[in-house]
Amino acid sequence: MNGMALDHNTSSQEEFLPHYLQKEDPFASKLSKEADIVAGFYLTVIGILSTLGNGYVIYMSSQRKKKLRPAEIMTVNLAVCDLGISVVGKPFSIISFFCHRWIFGWMGCRWYGWAGFFFGCGSLITMTVVSLDRYLKICHLSYGTWLKRHHAFICLAIIWAYATFWATVPFAGVGSYAPEPFGTSCTLDWWLAQASVAGQAFILSILFFCLLFPTAVIVFSYVKIILKVKSSTKEVAHYDTRIQNSHILEMKLTKVAMLICAGFLIAWIPYAVVSVWSAFGQPDSVPIQFSVVPTLLAKSAAMYNPIIYQVIDCKFACCRSGGLKTLQKTSSSKKSR
């Protein structure tokens, strides 16, 4: 009876495996030991920088939590997602790369796949909400002034519910999480698109609701913002100093959001392209050694955002100090007259 149960368990697990892993150990690394060590060191550096950077962002934001604007609340949520990817996910893959195989079994594989997809989806939907906030603030002032802090918290609840739903759907039997082709990491089982019509429907739904639709909203929002800024720059110059300062702050937040979205998409689009090609292309058409590069690039996305915050903040501080000096000179010249 135990032998029959073991055989049934093994066969049920093989149903979730891509065809290229069914006849061999799915958790054995397909890379050289040297390549695994290099990848492990790379992810270690990325994980440390990401943890320190996003932890710093969250800590500094908590010092002024009652003064955070809606867009800044979304930025903190993005830092939470990036920190979650670094703390919850990266240790699994780092240890596996150094061990030259995935050592956490099927339960660890599904947990790792779920956590990576959950926090990744949360990051993208957060950036989608931020882009819409920027679009309303810059292009539709009447709606933009209506958005308050409590609306941001409602958006947070929607973001987490959305990410939880799509990350958990595979556990309902519609999809699955499986080892990556190179063996030392886990992700959505993209090969399901070649296994059945239901698998194709699942993969296409994931692609549309968790990649294409959010990306389209982000691109639309920032294209409209760029066009609006070009047409309204001269108008803002005629307003008083208070309105000009408010406009500068909104543009600073917009620049931060645009750079964050660009960094995220640059990091994740190569991985998405390789995954879609694996799902709908010819079997074995993506070399295993090639598939690891987009995966490592995607895992670095969580490190960029704290750097972007600091660069923009430094520029904004310089501009602000320069503006203050100009105002002080103007006021002193008026007094001397």
Side-chain angles (χ1 to χ4, degrees), residues 136-154:
L136 293 174
K137 281 279 171 55
I138 303 297
C139 301
H140 299 281
L141 294 178
S142 58
Y143 292 102
T145 55
W146 174 77
L147 293 172
K148 304 299 181 185
R149 281 170 57 93
H150 66 276
H151 296 115
F153 291 114
I154 293 172

mmCIF file of all heavy atoms in Angstrom, residues 136-154:
data_model
loop_
_atom_site.group_PDB
_atom_site.id
_atom_site.type_symbol
_atom_site.label_atom_id
_atom_site.label_comp_id
_atom_site.label_asym_id
_atom_site.label_seq_id
_atom_site.Cartn_x
_atom_site.Cartn_y
_atom_site.Cartn_z
ATOM 1 N N LEU A 136 -4.032 61.449 -12.706
ATOM 2 C CA LEU A 136 -5.130 62.292 -12.227
ATOM 3 C C LEU A 136 -4.613 63.603 -11.646
ATOM 4 O O LEU A 136 -5.214 64.662 -11.851
ATOM 5 C CB LEU A 136 -5.945 61.536 -11.180
ATOM 6 C CG LEU A 136 -6.725 60.316 -11.691
ATOM 7 C CD1 LEU A 136 -7.368 59.578 -10.529
ATOM 8 C CD2 LEU A 136 -7.780 60.728 -12.707
ATOM 9 N N LYS A 137 -3.474 63.541 -10.923
ATOM 10 C CA LYS A 137 -2.938 64.757 -10.297
ATOM 11 C C LYS A 137 -2.436 65.761 -11.343
ATOM 12 O O LYS A 137 -2.554 66.977 -11.144
ATOM 13 C CB LYS A 137 -1.788 64.378 -9.357
ATOM 14 C CG LYS A 137 -2.252 63.843 -8.010
ATOM 15 C CD LYS A 137 -2.623 64.967 -7.082
ATOM 16 C CE LYS A 137 -3.295 64.480 -5.806
ATOM 17 N NZ LYS A 137 -2.549 63.506 -5.058
ATOM 18 N N ILE A 138 -1.873 65.266 -12.429
ATOM 19 C CA ILE A 138 -1.278 66.151 -13.425
ATOM 20 C C ILE A 138 -2.268 66.532 -14.520
ATOM 21 O O ILE A 138 -2.324 67.696 -14.950
ATOM 22 C CB ILE A 138 -0.034 65.492 -14.060
ATOM 23 C CG1 ILE A 138 0.989 65.124 -12.983
ATOM 24 C CG2 ILE A 138 0.605 66.407 -15.098
ATOM 25 C CD1 ILE A 138 1.544 66.285 -12.216
ATOM 26 N N CYS A 139 -3.070 65.587 -14.957
ATOM 27 C CA CYS A 139 -3.931 65.810 -16.136
ATOM 28 C C CYS A 139 -5.371 66.167 -15.792
ATOM 29 O O CYS A 139 -6.072 66.756 -16.618
ATOM 30 C CB CYS A 139 -3.913 64.567 -17.036
ATOM 31 S SG CYS A 139 -2.268 64.119 -17.636
ATOM 32 N N HIS A 140 -5.840 65.786 -14.616
ATOM 33 C CA HIS A 140 -7.229 66.063 -14.222
ATOM 34 C C HIS A 140 -7.224 66.573 -12.781
ATOM 35 O O HIS A 140 -7.434 65.810 -11.834
ATOM 36 C CB HIS A 140 -8.097 64.807 -14.353
ATOM 37 C CG HIS A 140 -8.169 64.260 -15.745
ATOM 38 N ND1 HIS A 140 -8.994 64.798 -16.723
ATOM 39 C CD2 HIS A 140 -7.498 63.241 -16.331
ATOM 40 C CE1 HIS A 140 -8.840 64.115 -17.846
ATOM 41 N NE2 HIS A 140 -7.939 63.167 -17.636
ATOM 42 N N LEU A 141 -6.979 67.866 -12.624
ATOM 43 C CA LEU A 141 -6.794 68.431 -11.294
ATOM 44 C C LEU A 141 -8.026 68.275 -10.409
ATOM 45 O O LEU A 141 -7.917 68.093 -9.200
ATOM 46 C CB LEU A 141 -6.425 69.914 -11.414
ATOM 47 C CG LEU A 141 -5.064 70.208 -12.073
ATOM 48 C CD1 LEU A 141 -4.848 71.693 -12.178
ATOM 49 C CD2 LEU A 141 -3.944 69.553 -11.293
ATOM 50 N N SER A 142 -9.227 68.343 -10.993
ATOM 51 C CA SER A 142 -10.445 68.236 -10.190
ATOM 52 C C SER A 142 -10.549 66.876 -9.517
ATOM 53 O O SER A 142 -10.972 66.762 -8.361
ATOM 54 C CB SER A 142 -11.677 68.472 -11.065
ATOM 55 O OG SER A 142 -11.710 67.543 -12.137
ATOM 56 N N TYR A 143 -10.124 65.814 -10.222
ATOM 57 C CA TYR A 143 -10.109 64.485 -9.619
ATOM 58 C C TYR A 143 -8.893 64.313 -8.722
ATOM 59 O O TYR A 143 -8.950 63.640 -7.694
ATOM 60 C CB TYR A 143 -10.102 63.401 -10.701
ATOM 61 C CG TYR A 143 -11.382 63.326 -11.484
ATOM 62 C CD1 TYR A 143 -11.472 63.880 -12.753
ATOM 63 C CD2 TYR A 143 -12.509 62.693 -10.966
ATOM 64 C CE1 TYR A 143 -12.646 63.821 -13.489
ATOM 65 C CE2 TYR A 143 -13.686 62.636 -11.689
ATOM 66 C CZ TYR A 143 -13.746 63.193 -12.951
ATOM 67 O OH TYR A 143 -14.914 63.134 -13.658
ATOM 68 N N GLY A 144 -7.780 64.902 -9.130
ATOM 69 C CA GLY A 144 -6.555 64.751 -8.371
ATOM 70 C C GLY A 144 -6.661 65.308 -6.963
ATOM 71 O O GLY A 144 -6.159 64.719 -6.005
ATOM 72 N N THR A 145 -7.306 66.457 -6.803
ATOM 73 C CA THR A 145 -7.462 67.044 -5.475
ATOM 74 C C THR A 145 -8.450 66.254 -4.619
ATOM 75 O O THR A 145 -8.453 66.380 -3.400
ATOM 76 C CB THR A 145 -7.962 68.498 -5.602
ATOM 77 O OG1 THR A 145 -9.163 68.511 -6.387
ATOM 78 C CG2 THR A 145 -6.913 69.360 -6.285
ATOM 79 N N TRP A 146 -9.264 65.431 -5.274
ATOM 80 C CA TRP A 146 -10.248 64.624 -4.537
ATOM 81 C C TRP A 146 -9.596 63.421 -3.846
ATOM 82 O O TRP A 146 -10.084 62.938 -2.838
ATOM 83 C CB TRP A 146 -11.313 64.146 -5.523
ATOM 84 C CG TRP A 146 -12.317 63.198 -4.951
ATOM 85 C CD1 TRP A 146 -13.377 63.500 -4.148
ATOM 86 C CD2 TRP A 146 -12.353 61.772 -5.133
ATOM 87 N NE1 TRP A 146 -14.077 62.358 -3.822
ATOM 88 C CE2 TRP A 146 -13.475 61.290 -4.414
ATOM 89 C CE3 TRP A 146 -11.561 60.875 -5.830
ATOM 90 C CZ2 TRP A 146 -13.810 59.944 -4.380
ATOM 91 C CZ3 TRP A 146 -11.893 59.535 -5.799
ATOM 92 C CH2 TRP A 146 -13.004 59.078 -5.087
ATOM 93 N N LEU A 147 -8.463 62.958 -4.364
ATOM 94 C CA LEU A 147 -7.802 61.773 -3.813
ATOM 95 C C LEU A 147 -7.123 62.110 -2.488
ATOM 96 O O LEU A 147 -6.266 62.977 -2.421
ATOM 97 C CB LEU A 147 -6.773 61.237 -4.806
ATOM 98 C CG LEU A 147 -7.345 60.650 -6.099
ATOM 99 C CD1 LEU A 147 -6.221 60.338 -7.065
ATOM 100 C CD2 LEU A 147 -8.152 59.403 -5.808
ATOM 101 N N LYS A 148 -7.513 61.408 -1.427
ATOM 102 C CA LYS A 148 -6.979 61.649 -0.088
ATOM 103 C C LYS A 148 -6.309 60.388 0.445
ATOM 104 O O LYS A 148 -6.274 59.351 -0.213
ATOM 105 C CB LYS A 148 -8.107 62.088 0.863
ATOM 106 C CG LYS A 148 -8.872 63.310 0.383
ATOM 107 C CD LYS A 148 -7.966 64.527 0.257
ATOM 108 C CE LYS A 148 -8.761 65.747 -0.205
ATOM 109 N NZ LYS A 148 -7.896 66.922 -0.443
ATOM 110 N N ARG A 149 -5.796 60.481 1.686
ATOM 111 C CA ARG A 149 -5.066 59.377 2.275
ATOM 112 C C ARG A 149 -5.922 58.116 2.422
ATOM 113 O O ARG A 149 -5.450 57.006 2.187
ATOM 114 C CB ARG A 149 -4.518 59.791 3.649
ATOM 115 C CG ARG A 149 -3.258 60.633 3.573
ATOM 116 C CD ARG A 149 -2.935 61.200 4.941
ATOM 117 N NE ARG A 149 -2.784 60.172 5.939
ATOM 118 C CZ ARG A 149 -1.617 59.606 6.273
ATOM 119 N NH1 ARG A 149 -0.506 59.987 5.677
ATOM 120 N NH2 ARG A 149 -1.551 58.692 7.210
ATOM 121 N N HIS A 150 -7.196 58.283 2.801
ATOM 122 C CA HIS A 150 -8.019 57.091 3.007
ATOM 123 C C HIS A 150 -8.294 56.365 1.687
ATOM 124 O O HIS A 150 -8.482 55.147 1.675
ATOM 125 C CB HIS A 150 -9.329 57.442 3.725
ATOM 126 C CG HIS A 150 -10.256 58.312 2.945
ATOM 127 N ND1 HIS A 150 -10.140 59.683 2.920
ATOM 128 C CD2 HIS A 150 -11.322 58.001 2.149
ATOM 129 C CE1 HIS A 150 -11.102 60.189 2.166
ATOM 130 N NE2 HIS A 150 -11.821 59.197 1.669
ATOM 131 N N HIS A 151 -8.270 57.111 0.578
ATOM 132 C CA HIS A 151 -8.392 56.438 -0.717
ATOM 133 C C HIS A 151 -7.154 55.584 -1.002
ATOM 134 O O HIS A 151 -7.255 54.507 -1.602
ATOM 135 C CB HIS A 151 -8.583 57.466 -1.832
ATOM 136 C CG HIS A 151 -9.847 58.257 -1.723
ATOM 137 N ND1 HIS A 151 -9.852 59.604 -1.504
ATOM 138 C CD2 HIS A 151 -11.142 57.872 -1.781
ATOM 139 C CE1 HIS A 151 -11.104 60.040 -1.446
ATOM 140 N NE2 HIS A 151 -11.910 59.013 -1.609
ATOM 141 N N ALA A 152 -5.993 56.068 -0.563
ATOM 142 C CA ALA A 152 -4.762 55.296 -0.748
ATOM 143 C C ALA A 152 -4.828 53.984 0.033
ATOM 144 O O ALA A 152 -4.401 52.931 -0.471
ATOM 145 C CB ALA A 152 -3.553 56.118 -0.304
ATOM 146 N N PHE A 153 -5.372 54.009 1.240
ATOM 147 C CA PHE A 153 -5.466 52.778 2.029
ATOM 148 C C PHE A 153 -6.477 51.806 1.426
ATOM 149 O O PHE A 153 -6.306 50.585 1.504
ATOM 150 C CB PHE A 153 -5.821 53.108 3.477
ATOM 151 C CG PHE A 153 -4.712 53.800 4.225
ATOM 152 C CD1 PHE A 153 -4.858 55.110 4.657
ATOM 153 C CD2 PHE A 153 -3.507 53.151 4.475
ATOM 154 C CE1 PHE A 153 -3.835 55.752 5.324
ATOM 155 C CE2 PHE A 153 -2.470 53.791 5.144
ATOM 156 C CZ PHE A 153 -2.637 55.089 5.573
ATOM 157 N N ILE A 154 -7.543 52.339 0.829
ATOM 158 C CA ILE A 154 -8.476 51.463 0.106
ATOM 159 C C ILE A 154 -7.772 50.795 -1.073
ATOM 160 O O ILE A 154 -7.953 49.594 -1.329
ATOM 161 C CB ILE A 154 -9.705 52.280 -0.382
ATOM 162 C CG1 ILE A 154 -10.529 52.760 0.814
ATOM 163 C CG2 ILE A 154 -10.564 51.446 -1.327
ATOM 164 C CD1 ILE A 154 -11.645 53.719 0.442
#
